[in-house]
Amino acid sequence: MNVTIVDYNSGNISSVINSFNEVAKDKVKIEVTSDLNKIKSSDKVVLPGQGSFKNCVDALNGVNGLVETLNEFVITNKKPLLGICVGLQMFADLGYEETETKGLGWISGKVSKIDNKNDKFKLPHIGWNEISIIKQSKIFEDIENKSHMYFVHSYEFIPEDKNVITATTDYSSNIVCSVEKENIFGTQFHPEKSDKTGLQIINNFINL
């Protein structure tokens, strides 16, 4: 089996690569590429994202044919994809960071700035926070409720269909931190920076 981490110049993804390699331990081939044919032929895809929503969308669009290839992979062929941080946010129809930007539209919803209650909550939201698992997800196999995950973000994904939400975290309000819709999985937190619990989530995705 091979898992492709999409490298589309969206910031430093070395910790994502290292974590997947650590979990894969030669059982699974991990590729890091933006080569469309390699993405098409892979069994699973990981879509990382760091920085702003607009920058990540622009970077995806900057690789000729990449968005079409991802659409085919996810929507037409229904193969598993994991979005991490802005990778998850780009599932939305629209993002409002910097300027209104069109997302991939895989899960209807929008990405808005976290309401920091007049500076009562620091933005970006950085560090460890407890997650509440509200719906069992395939990537939460052997993950305890109230586990702590590592976050770095100022914007949150607000899906229209609340049934896709699998976990939330409490930071000024209940923020969506994990979604699952058929073959599409996403985490707002960084599993690759969330110690053993995060590695278990990566393992669960690889073993889907």
Side-chain angles (χ1 to χ4, degrees), residues 84-144:
I84 297 173
C85 196
V86 186
L88 150 73
Q89 293 181 1
M90 289 192 294
F91 296 172
D93 301 313
L94 289 172
Y96 291 95
E97 191 168 0
E98 291 179 49
T99 175
E100 184 177 298
T101 306
K102 215 170 156 219
L104 293 163
W106 294 342
I107 298 180
S108 281
K110 62 181 182 178
V111 175
S112 302
K113 193 165 192 173
I114 294 168
D115 177 3
N116 67 356
K117 310 275 198 263
N118 295 326
D119 292 337
K120 263 191 14 202
F121 292 84
K122 273 195 188 135
L123 290 182
H125 167 215
I126 299 180
W128 294 87
N129 215 353
E130 188 179 275
I131 68 163
S132 297
I133 298 174
I134 56 173
K135 193 176 179 185
Q136 194 43 42
S137 168
K138 291 172 189 154
I139 60 170
F140 287 151
E141 195 72 39
D142 297 322
I143 300 289
E144 283 183 22

Side-chain angles (χ1 to χ4, degrees), residues 128-188:
W128 294 87
N129 215 353
E130 188 179 275
I131 68 163
S132 297
I133 298 174
I134 56 173
K135 193 176 179 185
Q136 194 43 42
S137 168
K138 291 172 189 154
I139 60 170
F140 287 151
E141 195 72 39
D142 297 322
I143 300 289
E144 283 183 22
N145 192 19
K146 310 292 183 195
S147 292
H148 284 76
M149 300 294 183
Y150 191 80
F151 290 83
V152 185
H153 65 126
S154 300
Y155 283 74
E156 59 174 324
F157 174 43
I158 304 167
E160 279 176 18
D161 178 6
K162 302 301 177 228
N163 287 321
V164 302
I165 303 168
T166 53
T168 59
T169 192
D170 188 11
Y171 193 77
S172 103
S173 66
N174 270 335
I175 288 172
V176 173
C177 67
S178 169
V179 296
E180 177 177 331
K181 183 187 175 185
E182 298 169 352
N183 53 311
I184 305 171
F185 302 85
T187 63
Q188 180 61 66

